[in-house]
Amino acid sequence: MIIDALAHQLRQVDSVHATTFTTSVLETYAAELAPLVPVADARVYPVSGGSEAIETASKLARAYHLARGEPDRHIVLARHGSYHGNTRGALDLSGRDPLRAPYLPWLGLTERVPAVYPYRVDLSGSEHAAVLGETITRLGPERVAAFVAEPIGGATTGASVPPGDYWPQVAEVCRRHGVLLVADEVMTGFGRTGTWFACDHWDVHPDVLVAGKGASSGYWPLGLVIASGQVHDTVRERGGFVHGFTWSHHPGGAAVGRAVLQRLVDDDLVERSRVLGARLLTDVRNALGGIEIVGDVRGRGLLIGVELVADRATKAPFPRAAGIAERVTKAAKDLGLLVYPSTGCANGVDGDLFLIGPPLVVTDDELDTIVTRTAHALQTVASTI
Ligand SMILES: Cc1ncc(COP(=O)(O)O)c(C=O)c1O
């Protein structure tokens, strides 16, 4: 169905440049997507991936403040331990030290607040919000353009879910200071965490929402920047947005995006992610509970993170040289299970975790297999330590 939709579209119109043309498939996609996104009066700017979308969102935030006559607003805030992409601007927003280290001479414009990582960072939602507010005040609100964050942690903090009062309070701090809230939903969007977007868990409405991955389910390199009508209209009417890429706004991406939306709706896959995800979290917790190296199992919907530690009581990580995440990934692969490893979560160097993120069409039987193989892989590695 998705491939057919793409083939059909490419036979009609393949590529036209967005500076001159639009296409009916793109306009229809935007109209269908807008009501599903927790952004007021949503307007859609499609690009070719998550990093491009983050770059675009940062520039859009700057363009917005310029349009409003606030040219000093240029600082973008992000969190420690975040991941926003690998291009230079996106990497500067990312708080993952091993990725940044080789390129540090080119980086350093981003200001940071603490990671939302309840397993290791013991701050309540209101304490996080207070730190954000103090940081904005210290920098000078008239100089801060945007706060960029993942609503639920992705690769770097391993599906860490913020405290319940985090998002409403953080959104309020941003509003109070005129700082645009940019939600990076590249990992969490399109049903991954059991709601259409992770912001929906807290009824939070960012000014800009960035998506990718699940938007096209892999059938097209698609990223999305979705801005509120207020941001869009301000930029459009009072300055414009000098930006774009050769392949942005591609009709092929719009056709795939429409077909993916259709499939998510027809097969009720967002609800499926919620229900199966709750089951998976319980089953993984039960199956791994007795394995000494498992420090924490967390997540929402079909995004589960498993953090591995040398000592459960102290949460001490394994030394990086032990390569625990890599060993678990290999043991799982040998059993026919693919997991997504990540390292450096504890202190920027040490710290091992992996994500379990099956497709939203995963069956009950496959979930059982995932749980069994995850436990088996961990037992194999634990027995060699
Ligand atoms: C939260 C988040 N933001 C941004 C990106 C970058 O997206 P891409 O790899 O499509 O450039 C990713 C990719 O994993 C991500 O997880």
Side-chain angles (χ1 to χ4, degrees):
M1 168 193 160
I2 297 172
I3 295 170
D4 290 344
L6 175 60
H8 175 75
Q9 179 56 48
L10 294 183
R11 285 193 194 98
Q12 309 294 309
V13 181
D14 50 7
S15 175
V16 290
H17 206 277
T19 48
T20 314
F21 300 104
T22 186
T23 53
S24 57
V25 66
L26 186 59
E27 298 300 326
T28 308
Y29 179 46
E32 289 172 351
L33 179 59
L36 301 170
V37 184
V39 170
D41 186 18
R43 312 299 175 88
V44 182
Y45 193 114
V47 292
S48 303
S51 301
E52 262 189 20
I54 284 286
E55 300 283 351
T56 302
S58 316
K59 285 177 68 180
L60 184 63
R62 170 80 180 141
Y64 169 78
H65 292 298
L66 287 175
R68 293 184 70 251
E70 294 195 74
D72 290 339
R73 285 199 190 253
H74 62 277
I75 297 172
V76 181
L77 284 164
R79 299 189 305 216
H80 287 287
S82 57
Y83 183 64
H84 298 295
N86 259 331
T87 51
R88 261 162 76 166
L91 188 61
D92 202 17
L93 289 172
S94 299
R96 190 176 185 183
D97 295 336
L99 291 182
R100 295 167 53 86
Y103 308 104
L104 281 178
W106 291 338
L107 308 176
L109 292 176
T110 302
E111 296 284 342
R112 266 181 222 295
V113 291
V116 170
Y117 186 9
Y119 183 60
R120 293 190 182 276
V121 178
D122 186 19
L123 291 178
S124 68
S126 49
E127 286 166 335
H128 274 290
V131 173
L132 179 66
E134 284 156 21
T135 307
I136 293 172
T137 305
R138 173 174 56 78
L139 295 167
E142 70 290 349
R143 296 172 65 230
V144 182
F147 173 55
V148 180
E150 299 153 273
I152 290 178
T156 39
T157 55
S160 283
V161 180
D165 57 342
Y166 175 86
W167 274 112
Q169 296 206 29
V170 161
E172 174 49 31
V173 168
C174 290
R175 298 260 182 281
R176 194 180 333 130
H177 292 292
V179 171
L180 291 189
L181 176 57
V182 179
D184 181 348
E185 295 237 22
V186 172
M187 182 78 92
T188 54
F190 291 89
R192 172 55 53 192
T193 70
T195 47
W196 272 95
F197 293 90
C199 285
D200 294 327
H201 290 296
W202 300 278
D203 197 21
V204 163
H205 300 270
D207 301 289
V208 181
L209 184 148
V210 172
K213 298 190 192 287
S216 64
S217 200
Y219 291 86
W220 187 270
L222 182 65
L224 299 168
V225 182
I226 304 167
S228 71
Q230 194 252 337
V231 168
H232 170 273
D233 294 348
T234 304
V235 171
R236 184 179 185 129
E237 285 157 23
R238 292 193 254 155
F241 190 34
V242 186
H243 186 69
F245 304 102
T246 301
W247 305 126
S248 57
H249 304 78
H250 200 290
V256 166
R258 286 195 69 203
V260 167
L261 281 188
Q262 189 73 50
R263 185 79 198 274
L264 288 170
V265 172
D266 287 352
D267 294 359
D268 208 8
L269 293 181
V270 179
E271 175 64 5
R272 188 181 173 76
S273 169
R274 187 183 71 77
V275 173
L276 293 188
R279 194 202 122 187
L280 182 62
L281 184 62
T282 306
D283 289 356
V284 172
R285 278 186 175 148
N286 289 339
L288 307 192
I291 304 174
E292 269 307 296
I293 63 172
V294 175
D296 193 32
V297 180
R298 56 205 178 224
R300 270 290 174 93
L302 287 171
L303 185 69
I304 308 285
V306 179
E307 182 157 344
L308 307 171
V309 289
D311 184 329
R312 267 185 178 171
T314 64
K315 302 182 184 175
F318 289 102
R320 181 76 292 273
I324 296 296
E326 292 85 341
R327 283 159 67 182
V328 170
T329 307
K330 163 125 188 9
K333 197 171 168 206
D334 289 346
L335 294 166
L337 175 70
L338 297 178
V339 297
Y340 182 155
S342 177
T343 60
C345 50
N347 58 19
V349 178
D350 308 314
D352 300 85
L353 60 83
F354 63 91
L355 289 174
I356 304 171
L360 307 195
V361 293
V362 67
T363 65
D364 281 289
D365 284 352
E366 287 164 346
L367 281 188
D368 290 340
T369 306
I370 289 170
V371 174
T372 314
R373 290 184 182 170
T374 304
H376 189 161
L378 284 166
Q379 274 150 356
T380 304
V381 173
S383 68
T384 64
I385 291 169

